[in-house]
Amino acid sequence: MQNGALRVYPLQDKDLSVNTLKEYWSFNVHDNDYGQIQGICSSYDDRFLITCGGDGNIFTFNILSPEDVHKELKAKIPSPRSGLEKEKATEDIEDPNAYNIEEVKQKKEYERIMKEAEEKKNKKREELIALRHEFLFLLQKNQELPKHMQLHREQYEMDHRIFEELDRQTAQRIQLVQKELAWEHEKHLIGLQKLRNQFRDSLEFDTVVVHAIQSNHQISTYRLLAMSEKYYQDKERPSWKRTVLKRAWKQAEKREIVRETSHARTFEGEAEKLKTSEVRKPTTHYIGSKHEQIRRIVEKSDKVKAKIMKRKAEWDELYKSKPSDDYENPKDVEDIREAQENMGCYKLKTAPNYRVPKHKRMNTEKKVMQLTSLEVLIHKRKVNMNKEIMSLRDLKISIIDKIKCLVQELKSIQTALDLSERLPLPPIPQLYPDEVPEKKFEYDSDVLLKFKEEQEAKAKLQEQLEGSPSSCAFRHRFLRAPSIKEIDPMAQAAGARPMKIASSVVTEQRKVFEIEKAEPTEMELEILKREKIKNLYLQETLIKKINALVINFDAELRFLRHKKLKLDVQMKSADLRYITWYEELLILKNLEKRETLLQGHVDTLISEQEAMRSKLNSYLAQMEDRKSEIVKLQECEKALYANFQASLGENNEFAHFLTKVLKKKIKCVEKKEVGREADEEDENEEENDDESSLGIDEENSGSEDEVFDDSVCPKNCNEALFRNTMQLRQKRLDIEKALTEEKKVAANLRKKYNALAKKAKVVETSLDTAETELETFQWEKQQRLNELYVVVPLKLHQVEYLVNGEMPSDFSQALVFTNQSLEYLQKRMVDLHNEKIMQREIYKKAQEQHKQLVQDKKEMDINIRRLEEKCSHLMMKKFGRLVDFEAVQAHSVNIRMEELKVQIMEKEYVHSQELQEWEERILDLRQQLMKLTKENTSKLQQLNRFCLEKQQLETKLDSLKNDLGVEFQGTRTTDIKEKARLESRLKHMARNTALLREEINLLSRKDGCLRELALLSRKDGCLFLQPLSPQDSETPTETLPVLTP
């Protein structure tokens, strides 16, 4: 029913045997190609048959009963066909390239048109051939003419513009064709680029086969894909080692810079010290020597103290390091534990008690890194081998070039030899196409034309096979131009004729030249003989050199081939290992989620445990602090009672009363909030009194307490002692209050510590369970990994698993063990035996040494006691008492006093320097004073001259008064004013002169009470001397006038 046909088999009495199923009726109702019957069924009353086909048609058939068949059908039903299966079915036309009737008609029309076109082309070609023959004939005639009568080739051109026009038309056609094919060209370029990107750019190395020259040996490179960009990014990413090295390098540079600067500073400091040392005076040298002496004394005392402290620390360390009687060396304990766990115990990974160590646990990240490193290593090894093979190919190319040069030289040498003396030329090796596969993708016009001819030849062969020679032309509409060989065989023959004529002329000329040539002399014959011997030698050496190059290259190729075969074995084992590791990676990825959960749980528990440990340590530290505070308070209380006993003195009649006052308990009870928790450990706490804020509890009960009153000092008792007792009682109460608070804090810390310790135990147990779960999971993971098959390449001589001298068929109980490991185990057995003997000897020696050390210890103890007694006897004899020599050694001079002495000397030196500076300043001021005095003297002399001139002028004026008129006889007011002004000025100058004299007298005194004059100021035409600063003089500041003109 695959072809849509329906078969009906006639049955007799429901006989279902094979013989009855041979005859049938066949109904082809559905489509033969797409009408496969999908369903068939009959109606409920078996009167109709319904079929459904894949072509979407549904057919219904009537099923007639035997009676209806005889009634309704008058025609006789033909008998079923027999042997239908043996008949060959008619073949349908399934070829998609087969022609239909319309295509056949179009084909015939096309062939007719093409035939007519070919006939026209042939006619034109015949005309062109005739013209060519005529042209060649003319050329031949021109060649036969004398040289001076021959025409040049340019003279055959009728018009040069014809060729220019033809070239222009050809260029236009080429440009037009390029424009028409531009889109196709770009399309094919893009397709080619895509193909290169897909198949060529990802290749780092293509397969290159290098062949030997004289043998059939060959070697090929590995076809390698380029590594992914992710690998290069990881490679460029700086690793932690590089960063550490960079940091170390930077730190070293910084240290060098610091050292250089420190050296420069020390050098500068030394230079400054040298400069200052030159300027120093004996006083500074003395002060420096004192400082150096104090420094040496301090260093000596410090060394002595350090030596004493070091000795004490050594003794303490020695006593601390003294082991107890049941002491065990932790290193020995650790070695014993490690030996019990590991040494001599080789557990298989398949064993149920095998535990995976932490450093051998594998996860997805480690496995990916492992795979990446293996892939990189494989790629690196293959790249190195490919580089060696490519260098070998380059060597072959260079050898071929050398051989070509040598063969060319050999040919030139053999031209001078006879044919009988010429040795056969060695063949020049050629490069095979698979040695330069990159040239497959290099093409030019010749390659494309050759490819086109090959495609046409294939198309012709296909047409001949198909029997339709014009089908390809009709399909592709491709008109092939006739080749030059087909077009013009006659032209070639015609062109060959002049060449033959020219060659015949040349041979005739050679014969004439040979006839004219004279016979050689003896000297020429000797020279020719030497040349012949030289050429024979050069011929042999060149052939040997060529053979040596070929032999050496073949040897290099064989050696590299052997090396590559070894590498192939390694690469195959690496590929197998890569497959195994990849399968392990798949298993690890499946188990990664559960492992991360378990590991995360363990990590959280570890972090909780560390946090709790830190809290416990902080609580322990706080508890230790509280204990130390409690001890301090108890010591303060003891010191208080000791102070009270010392203040009482001996035989004090009020000692009992004052003791009761001191020990009386007075507690200030503050109102507290409702709901405050009472401390269970405080046994002395009492109930709160809400009415009064002050409650008094007496220590001694009885009738005496009713009369006891501590607020009044009894008669005949020292009032100061009573007040001191009251103050001490207050201090005692404060100390007791602080003590109770510290105890409360310590109790709270103890509670917190215990609660946290319980939580820590719970976390520790849960951590242990989590670690056991993780170890179980690691064991299960290891079992899953053990189920993988691992390929181990072995040679027959490596197999030593024999049963009864034969190799068994079952290797399930065998272990793959290297010879080195087996030798190591055997050697380890011998080593353990020897080590056991050696340990016994060491134990015996240690026992003997222990006995000897015990004996030596007893002798040393006796010697130490004897020396101590001798030392104490000598000290009592010499000093009268025992002396602590360590304290004597540590005692040194009073460093503070020496330092103060040196400071006094420094101050005195500084003060002397200041006094010297002041003296220098006084000298400068005296010089200035002298200068000013001289100036004032000159001014006074000038004033004196002015006065004399004035007197002379007055006398002259007086003498002239009598001669003047009446109006000039009286005194003028202007003269009177001028006179008064000059008199006042004279008085002022006299007063200033007196002041200057007094100042000179003061400055000339020798009692040291000097006035420093530094500044000169001009006021109203006078110079005034002023002191430099108010601090320089004890008297208030004043100005001293100086006379000026």
Side-chain angles (χ1 to χ4, degrees), residues 718-741:
N718 192 357
E719 189 108 5
L721 184 61
F722 182 75
R723 283 197 299 274
N724 187 23
T725 304
M726 296 295 289
Q727 291 175 1
L728 291 174
R729 184 178 70 179
Q730 188 64 32
K731 288 181 182 179
R732 181 186 65 80
L733 291 173
D734 294 338
I735 290 169
E736 286 181 354
K737 184 179 179 181
L739 194 61
T740 52
E741 288 177 357

Side-chain angles (χ1 to χ4, degrees), residues 103-244:
E103 286 179 347
V104 171
K105 289 180 181 179
Q106 292 178 4
K107 181 182 171 186
K108 287 181 179 180
E109 183 66 23
Y110 177 75
E111 287 177 354
R112 185 182 63 77
I113 294 168
M114 293 299 295
K115 188 177 179 182
E116 292 176 356
E118 286 293 331
E119 288 176 357
K120 289 181 181 180
K121 288 178 183 177
N122 290 331
K123 287 180 182 179
K124 293 292 182 183
R125 283 170 188 161
E126 288 174 358
E127 291 176 0
L128 287 172
I129 289 168
L131 290 172
R132 281 176 184 166
H133 288 169
E134 188 178 355
F135 182 69
L136 290 172
F137 180 71
L138 291 173
L139 287 174
Q140 187 177 356
K141 272 189 173 184
N142 187 35
Q143 192 82 16
E144 292 174 356
L145 291 172
K147 195 168 185 181
H148 65 279
M149 295 178 66
Q150 289 180 3
L151 295 175
H152 295 288
R153 191 59 184 253
E154 290 81 6
Q155 294 177 355
Y156 285 96
E157 295 180 3
M158 292 182 293
D159 190 358
H160 63 88
R161 290 175 294 180
I162 296 172
F163 290 99
E164 292 177 359
E165 182 65 22
L166 288 173
D167 293 338
R168 187 181 62 78
Q169 290 178 2
T170 305
Q172 286 180 355
R173 288 172 187 173
I174 291 170
Q175 190 175 2
L176 182 62
V177 171
Q178 287 178 353
K179 286 182 180 180
E180 289 176 353
L181 297 177
W183 188 85
E184 288 288 334
H185 181 261
E186 189 67 24
K187 176 185 174 183
H188 291 304
L189 276 180
I190 292 169
L192 179 62
Q193 188 63 36
K194 287 182 178 179
L195 288 173
R196 282 178 179 170
N197 294 337
Q198 183 69 25
F199 298 104
R200 294 294 301 171
D201 292 349
S202 60
L203 272 180
E204 188 174 356
F205 280 99
D206 201 355
T207 304
V208 177
V209 182
V210 182
H211 297 267
I213 298 173
Q214 288 183 344
S215 62
N216 295 326
H217 295 96
Q218 62 184 18
I219 184 172
S220 62
T221 60
Y222 295 102
R223 192 172 187 272
L224 286 180
L225 296 174
M227 296 296 288
S228 61
E229 294 179 358
K230 183 180 179 182
Y231 161 70
Y232 289 111
Q233 290 174 1
D234 296 337
K235 192 174 181 181
E236 291 173 359
R237 194 175 298 162
S239 60
W240 64 273
K241 291 183 181 179
R242 292 179 184 175
T243 54
V244 169

Side-chain angles (χ1 to χ4, degrees), residues 3-6 26-32 35 37 51 55 57 59 61:
N3 56 359
L6 185 67
S26 179
F27 300 97
N28 291 324
V29 289
H30 291 281
D31 190 86
N32 292 332
I37 294 175
T51 62
D55 54 356
N57 295 325
F59 293 95
F61 302 91

Side-chain angles (χ1 to χ4, degrees), residues 244 294 475 551 677 706 738 802 933 1000:
V244 169
I294 292 167
R475 288 290 180 186
I551 291 166
E677 295 180 358
E706 296 175 359
L802 302 175
T933 306
I1000 288 166

